[in-house]
């Protein structure tokens, strides 16, 4: 199981200014979950996931009765992968505000389809 990752990843620009990683999602409003407050979600551990993690996410979708020709584009699949990357339970992502849930979905989907 992945360790919980709550640190914000910082990247330095060419001028030495601190900028956030594209895999850090800033929430529109502070989010309370299990007694902790979150302002950001660090998805940088997506880089450490494997095809086996993707297959496991697909099995979760299959068991739930969800079907999609492109599951990696669905909100549920993105939440499952974000859960695997952060170590947070799936319920953490299910409780996000819609605007923030879509930010997570877009970052996860963008990560999968981004060209190097």
């Amino acid at each position: 199981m992945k360790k919980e990752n709550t640190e914000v990843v910082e990247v330095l620009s060419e001028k030495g200014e601190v900028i956030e990683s594209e895999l850090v999602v800033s929430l529109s409003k502070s989010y309370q979950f299990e007694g902790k407050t979150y302002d950001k979600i660090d998805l940088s551990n997506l880089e450490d996931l494997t095809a086996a993690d993707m297959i496991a996410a697909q099995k979760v979708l299959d068991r739930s009765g969800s079907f999609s020709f492109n599951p990696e584009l669905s909100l549920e699949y993105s939440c499952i992968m974000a859960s695997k990357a952060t170590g947070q339970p799936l319920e953490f992502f299910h409780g996000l505000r819609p605007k923030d849930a879509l930010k997570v979905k877009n970052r996860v989907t963008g990560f999968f389809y981004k060209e190097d």
Side-chain angles (χ1 to χ4, degrees):
M1 178 171 231
K2 301 281 183 212
K3 64 180 170 100
E4 182 176 338
N5 188 358
T6 57
E7 291 182 31
V8 174
V9 175
E10 294 180 343
V11 178
L12 295 179
S13 71
E14 290 178 8
K15 297 180 182 180
E17 300 166 330
V18 176
I19 55 175
E20 289 184 358
S21 165
E22 63 186 19
L23 292 175
V24 175
V25 176
S26 293
L27 302 177
S28 61
K29 196 173 174 182
S30 292
Y31 173 54
Q32 295 277 329
F33 183 77
E34 294 184 349
K36 293 183 182 176
T37 301
Y38 299 85
D39 294 312
K40 299 177 184 198
I41 301 171
D42 182 359
L43 299 171
S44 61
N45 283 341
L46 283 169
E47 296 174 353
D48 298 328
L49 298 180
T50 65
D53 293 309
M54 296 175 78
I55 293 165
Q58 181 62 50
K59 288 180 180 181
V60 170
L61 287 179
D62 292 347
R63 284 193 302 271
S64 74
S66 178
F67 175 78
S68 174
F69 285 109
N70 294 316
E72 69 279 1
L73 297 177
S74 75
L75 177 58
E76 183 70 12
Y77 185 88
S78 293
C79 287
I80 294 166
M81 294 305 289
S83 173
K84 289 181 174 296
T86 62
Q88 292 285 4
L90 190 53
E91 293 77 18
F92 174 89
F93 295 95
H94 286 177
L96 290 174
R97 291 173 184 80
K99 183 176 185 175
D100 294 327
L102 288 177
K103 282 183 186 179
V104 169
K105 175 193 174 282
N106 290 336
R107 296 290 173 89
V108 171
T109 302
F111 173 78
F112 287 135
Y113 285 99
K114 179 180 171 187
E115 298 275 333
D116 287 332

